[in-house]
Amino acid sequence: MKKNKKKKAAASLLIISLVSTVPFSAGYAEGQKWTNINTYEEQDGSKFNSENYDFVKFSQIGTKLKDIEKQSNRVKVEVRGTSADGNPLYVVTIADPTTQGKFGKIQSLRKQMFKNPSKAQDWIAANPDFKVPIMINGSIHGTEFVGSDAVLQLIERFATQDDQETKDILANNILIFNVVQNPDGRVNATRFNGEGIDLNRDFITQSQPETQETVELIKEWNPMVFLDTHGYVKNYAPNHQGLIEPCTPPHNPNYEYDLYNKWAYQQAEAMEANIMANQASFTGNLYKSMEGVYVPQRDDSAGWDDYPPIFTPMYAMYHGAYGHTLEAPTNDWDGVRWQYDAIMGALKFATENKQAMITDQIEMFKRGINFDHPFHKDGFFPKAYILPVNEQDPTVTDKAINHLLKNDIEVVQAAKGFIVDGKNYPKGTYIVKMDQAKAGLANTMLWDGEDISNDTPAMYDISAWSLPGLWGFEAISTQNDVNVVTTKVNQVTEQGAVTGKGPFVIQNSSVKAVNLVNALLQQGVSVKRDEKGDFYVEAAANQIASAVKASGLQVGSTEKVSANAAKLSSLKVAILKDGGMGKQQSHSGTKLALKRLGFAVTEVTPVEVAENGLSGFDVFVYSGTESLISLPDRLSAANKEFGFQTASQFDSFKNNVNDFLGNGGKYIAVGAGASNATKTLGLTDDTINTAGSNSNGIVKVNYSGTGVAAGYDQDDLGFVYRPVWYTGTGNDEVIASLGSNDDFFMAGHWINKKADAKGQAIIVKEQDKDVTLIGLEAGFRDHTDYLFRLLSNAIFEK
């Protein structure tokens, strides 16, 4: 589910044939190797849930699917990759037997929607027996078990039953089930995957294998309807149990929302009606008094928006799907029944309205191709985006181009130099023209964003995500036509090279550059760093050539090594681990950022630090909430095994951190929670100021340009989430401050205390100890690549 609500006691169990215990067979997933599943280690329930039931264990699902496939000629079962922990990602496709084996032809026909949408609409009108894909996503959050259990029931029904309703649905639809989108979370009974990432926040970045698999499925099928199963929501409106989207405002302006909402709202009410029609099948008192379902758009004004493209259904909407999040009320078999009935309601509605719904889905693509957006202001969509390439370090732009291509966005490359808006661009410049089918997705990825602080009192999650800004590449919009001969881009491959005889300079320009430096340090190559953050390598070209080639960087010689350059060593970094503060492991984004920068990172829990200290580490990173070092009465059940049980453990933790600093260790705090914890530990006397957790976005930042801020400019940017700033910094080195003008907040949602933060310190370093406070979210969800180097700068800085 999106929101974290307390749950009531579980109702009685509904016994069904599907969940009879079946021995696990590792041999089912042919070609895949299990890396961590031990049936004795699977959790029976989640510490995040106040109610649990005998849900189907992940280790049983492979065998169950194989048994169903043997019984039916309608079913195709595949393993479409593996999770972060190496667990198989099962996909089941169900269609009537006459359609099996013709999926490629059907997908080819759908691709015509992007090339000649008018012709596709005509074909649909003339061929009413055309089958439309509908995709159902099972339990992207591991603790929301009911979704995948409902999916298993539906798979069994559509594989084996012959009632008229089943026949009608299969006569009109192809059903694609992403059975368990987060197997790691189901095995471990946690919300997130094995890397600690909330996958339902990963669809703009797509950093995780599970997200990438789902994106591939969405691209492959372009489903007309996309249903995402979650839990648990109840009592949002009196006697309206569970939740079915569409959402409250604000709606992302990059949608063709009129086309979506025309059908999504009716489909939501059809799902509600089907649930209510089967009310007698529920056993719990909560359901017996149920009068309907909470539909945010109908029943509320704000707080459950579809604005950021980070959620699975919202991402699917950019591919033309009528996307819905379905939030069951309870974590029990009644919750499974609620999901089952909701999905059946959606399938029946789609079957009855197939032709009109798919015609409007194609209309979205037609608007993009024709650059015709009737419900948008003129000028909202640019004619094109121009993406120049940095010859020395093309890696950031390369990543962006490949990301766009992986998302069905068309990219071309200039065959010669050209001029647009009075500016010269060289041959090889990338161009994203906006007269294309999925223009909305292209624009939501490439635009700067907007300040929506005055548009709504509350936002559900992030309100700004600019890939150019937060990944660090240029995307220059133009309202003019780009007239130049181009070639279509299918993929960008990177290959770095070394030129000259050395010494060599590696500019502090990107994540790949820092990763290269760490790779060389781990090989024993001598590397120095100057105050501007650039790196110098004194080694033979053939000694570093292999690593440079893999990096994608162009590394050349320099006449001399900067006189102030200090020698670096390969450092061991510890990061404080949590078990999941509410919805995600709060340290996980920073951990992934450090890994991508090439550092050796070890997770340590508060108790481990209290008992063992930090000897053997050079750097200690705190990136999480302040309650992580609280006593048990302030810890959730999910974190008690990681947190302190006694006051003496806190004292030991504090003493060990101070001993670590006294012995030359480096302490780095990232974000508001870590900054407050640093104050609690007595490591800073600064005043820690914070805004509300509902505030986040892209801000203007004035960096000092050296040391921790090396590689960043006076007029640059950063990202905040639960913004924090520091006052009383007279005895600190102020490394960066928020912009001093009223427009320092560039995009996002920030209502409270914004004026107080203007011009205040955002990165500081204590003068008498090696303690650095970074108020920016430098490692946010593996998304803020442009800010990752703040972490490496802080680590390397002497």
Side-chain angles (χ1 to χ4, degrees):
M1 111 186 205
K2 287 186 183 177
K3 295 187 165 81
N4 187 21
K5 294 285 179 183
K6 295 194 183 228
K7 299 93 183 171
K8 295 182 180 178
S12 59
L13 300 177
L14 173 64
I15 306 300
I16 57 173
S17 64
L18 180 62
V19 296
S20 57
T21 302
V22 181
F24 167 62
S25 171
Y28 167 60
E30 295 179 10
Q32 302 290 343
K33 293 183 179 179
W34 295 80
T35 61
N36 75 329
I37 286 293
N38 183 327
T39 56
Y40 298 105
E41 294 176 358
E42 282 191 273
Q43 301 298 307
D44 291 325
S46 174
K47 296 174 183 176
F48 293 91
N49 294 339
S50 62
E51 59 187 10
N52 285 289
Y53 71 108
D54 59 336
F55 57 89
V56 181
K57 299 299 188 294
F58 182 74
S59 59
Q60 299 170 342
I61 289 175
T63 300
K64 184 64 187 177
L65 296 177
K66 184 177 182 180
D67 289 345
I68 292 172
E69 187 179 32
K70 286 179 179 177
Q71 300 173 43
S72 176
N73 61 354
R74 308 171 189 167
V75 178
K76 179 182 179 183
V77 179
E78 301 173 274
V79 173
R80 296 289 293 261
T82 53
S83 68
D85 278 350
N87 294 311
L89 299 170
Y90 297 116
V91 175
V92 173
T93 310
I94 301 182
D96 69 51
T98 63
T99 307
Q100 288 287 350
K102 300 178 182 178
F103 293 160
K105 180 181 178 181
I106 290 170
Q107 289 160 358
S108 296
L109 288 170
R110 291 186 64 77
K111 288 178 182 177
Q112 291 299 318
M113 298 176 183
F114 315 140
K115 297 177 181 179
N116 193 330
S118 294
K119 185 176 179 180
Q121 286 174 327
D122 292 341
W123 191 90
I124 291 295
N127 294 272
D129 60 342
F130 179 75
K131 293 177 174 56
V132 299
I134 294 179
M135 186 169 168
I136 299 110
N137 208 39
S139 295
I140 194 170
H141 292 144
T143 56
E144 297 165 14
F145 304 103
V146 296
S148 288
D149 282 350
V151 162
L152 289 170
Q153 290 186 20
L154 289 160
I155 289 171
E156 189 165 52
R157 172 181 181 158
F158 285 104
T160 62
Q161 299 304 305
D162 289 308
D163 60 280
Q164 192 59 49
E165 193 170 74
T166 297
K167 289 180 178 179
D168 288 345
I169 289 171
L170 291 180
N172 289 279
N173 305 282
I174 300 169
L175 307 181
I176 304 102
F177 296 94
N178 205 15
V179 184
V180 185
Q181 214 228 327
N182 182 3
D184 302 350
R186 196 172 186 89
V187 169
N188 299 319
T190 58
R191 178 182 175 93
F192 29 82
N193 75 340
E195 282 286 0
I197 295 296
D198 184 335
L199 298 174
N200 204 40
R201 304 293 185 273
D202 193 44
F203 277 86
I204 187 69
T205 308
Q206 298 161 22
S207 68
Q208 300 302 297
E210 301 92 335
T211 318
Q212 294 162 15
E213 176 252 5
T214 303
V215 168
E216 285 299 313
L217 276 175
I218 291 171
K219 286 195 311 174
E220 178 181 335
W221 288 101
N222 276 273
M224 187 183 80
V225 175
F226 186 97
L227 306 174
D228 203 30
T229 58
H230 290 256
Y232 304 97
V233 165
K234 52 191 170 189
N235 298 325
Y236 266 42
N239 295 320
H240 282 61
Q241 308 305 344
L243 176 149
I244 298 174
E245 293 176 345
C247 293
T248 64
H251 308 301
N252 191 305
N254 291 292
Y255 296 132
E256 302 295 330
Y257 206 79
D258 63 306
L259 296 175
Y260 164 78
N261 205 49
K262 176 180 175 181
W263 296 105
Y265 182 76
Q266 293 180 60
Q267 190 167 36
E269 292 199 316
M271 288 187 261
E272 177 185 48
N274 199 60
I275 291 168
M276 294 305 298
N278 295 320
Q279 187 173 14
S281 65
F282 295 100
T283 60
N285 291 330
L286 182 78
Y287 294 87
K288 291 177 180 178
S289 61
M290 178 172 59
E291 296 175 3
V293 170
Y294 172 75
V295 179
Q297 188 181 106
R298 180 190 68 192
D299 300 328
D300 220 328
S301 59
W304 196 290
D305 60 272
D306 51 14
Y307 190 79
I310 58 175
F311 309 120
T312 326
M314 277 71 259
Y315 173 79
M317 286 163 62
Y318 290 104
H319 295 271
Y322 302 100
H324 300 269
T325 296
L326 311 180
E327 301 270 0
T330 53
N331 182 35
D332 58 13
W333 287 112
D334 273 343
V336 176
R337 167 59 61 186
W338 186 99
Q339 286 282 10
Y340 181 99
D341 289 342
I343 294 168
M344 284 301 298
L347 295 177
K348 287 187 280 188
F349 181 85
T351 298
E352 293 165 2
N353 297 280
K354 176 186 70 172
Q355 194 152 351
M357 289 177 75
I358 199 168
T359 299
D360 280 344
Q361 181 188 28
I362 300 169
E363 187 69 20
M364 188 197 86
F365 304 137
K366 184 194 288 187
R367 288 181 182 180
I369 291 169
N370 294 335
F371 201 76
D372 176 23
H373 305 282
F375 289 86
H376 290 82
K377 292 181 180 178
D378 288 343
F380 176 79
F381 288 101
K383 288 289 185 68
Y385 284 95
I386 300 168
L387 282 67
V389 181
N390 182 322
E391 294 285 336
Q392 189 79 19
D393 184 351
T395 60
V396 176
T397 306
D398 290 350
K399 177 184 176 181
I401 298 302
N402 282 327
H403 188 70
L404 294 171
L405 294 171
K406 288 175 183 176
N407 283 274
D408 257 5
I409 295 167
E410 297 173 5
V411 183
V412 295
Q413 194 168 25
K416 60 181 181 179
F418 62 98
I419 301 174
V420 172
D421 299 331
K423 184 173 180 179
N424 288 290
Y425 294 96
K427 174 184 176 181
T429 298
Y430 294 107
I431 303 164
V432 178
K433 295 183 178 180
M434 293 296 289
D435 53 348
Q436 58 175 289
K438 298 183 180 179
L441 182 56
N443 205 54
T444 206
M445 286 187 165
L446 293 173
W447 75 328
D448 293 331
E450 57 185 349
D451 183 352
I452 57 170
S453 302
N454 297 324
D455 296 349
T456 181
M459 285 291 292
Y460 188 74
D461 204 276
I462 63 170
S463 310
W465 54 85
S466 167
L467 290 188
L470 297 179
W471 285 12
F473 63 94
E474 279 192 285
I476 303 162
S477 63
T478 178
Q479 293 294 342
N480 293 311
D481 293 325
V482 180
N483 296 312
V484 63
V485 176
T486 62
T487 57
K488 184 179 179 181
V489 180
N490 294 313
Q491 185 180 10
V492 178
T493 56
E494 293 179 343
Q495 184 168 310
V498 181
T499 56
K501 297 181 179 180
F504 302 101
V505 61
I506 301 172
Q507 293 179 351
N508 180 26
S509 53
S510 67
V511 172
K512 286 287 187 73
V514 177
N515 185 283
L516 172 59
V517 167
N518 273 315
L520 295 176
L521 288 171
Q522 289 157 16
Q523 292 173 19
V525 175
S526 176
V527 181
K528 294 180 179 179
R529 177 179 178 270
D530 68 14
E531 64 180 7
K532 293 182 180 180
D534 292 334
F535 305 96
Y536 300 88
V537 181
E538 296 177 290
N542 62 1
Q543 189 178 358
I544 67 172
S546 178
V548 172
K549 182 179 179 180
S551 75
L553 298 166
Q554 304 301 310
V555 174
S557 294
T558 183
E559 293 183 4
K560 60 180 180 179
V561 176
S562 176
N564 63 23
K567 188 172 182 179
L568 300 178
S569 58
S570 184
L571 301 174
K572 294 182 179 178
V573 180
I575 188 167
L576 196 62
K577 178 182 181 180
D578 65 85
M581 310 303 288
K583 295 185 177 180
Q584 63 184 338
Q585 288 186 325
S586 51
H587 73 292
S588 58
T590 303
K591 177 190 69 175
L592 287 174
L594 293 168
K595 284 183 175 180
R596 285 188 48 209
L597 289 163
F599 291 103
V601 186
T602 302
E603 296 173 292
V604 292
T605 68
V607 171
E608 288 172 339
V609 175
E611 293 178 348
N612 306 321
L614 290 162
S615 61
F617 295 106
D618 304 294
V619 182
F620 179 52
V621 179
Y622 194 134
S623 180
T625 74
E626 56 266 43
S627 63
L628 190 53
I629 56 170
S630 299
L631 293 178
D633 61 340
R634 291 189 61 198
L635 288 173
S636 67
N639 270 288
K640 284 186 178 178
E641 65 180 287
F642 294 92
F644 303 135
Q645 302 302 310
T646 66
S648 63
Q649 286 179 313
F650 171 80
D651 293 335
S652 296
F653 180 94
K654 182 176 178 179
N655 291 336
N656 286 340
V657 172
N658 275 296
D659 289 345
F660 169 73
L661 287 166
N663 291 322
K666 182 182 291 288
Y667 175 102
I668 301 169
V670 182
S675 298
N676 282 327
T678 305
K679 181 82 169 185
T680 300
L681 292 169
L683 300 179
T684 182
D685 58 1
D686 297 351
T687 300
I688 312 298
N689 308 275
T690 60
S693 58
N694 197 245
S695 299
N696 64 83
I698 299 170
V699 291
K700 292 181 181 178
V701 179
N702 291 321
Y703 296 96
S704 64
T706 61
V708 176
Y712 299 90
D713 300 326
Q714 276 288 320
D715 186 16
D716 216 321
L717 59 77
F719 181 79
V720 293
Y721 189 89
R722 189 191 174 191
V724 59
W725 61 96
Y726 313 111
T727 53
T729 59
N731 60 349
D732 293 347
E733 177 188 356
V734 176
I735 295 164
S737 300
L738 291 167
S740 56
N741 296 325
D742 289 340
D743 65 351
F744 81 92
F745 188 65
M746 300 171 65
H749 185 261
W750 185 351
I751 297 177
N752 299 321
K753 302 181 182 179
K754 184 165 58 177
D756 297 341
K758 182 179 67 174
Q760 299 295 339
I762 193 73
I763 303 177
V764 298
K765 187 171 184 181
E766 297 289 320
Q767 294 282 26
D768 59 344
K769 59 183 79 75
D770 201 344
V771 171
T772 302
L773 306 182
I774 301 175
L776 299 169
E777 290 292 338
F780 185 77
R781 296 179 184 166
D782 201 26
H783 179 51
T784 51
D785 285 46
Y786 182 64
L787 304 178
F788 285 6
R789 288 176 295 121
L790 291 172
L791 299 170
S792 55
N793 287 343
I795 289 170
F796 284 138
E797 181 66 12
K798 301 295 184 181

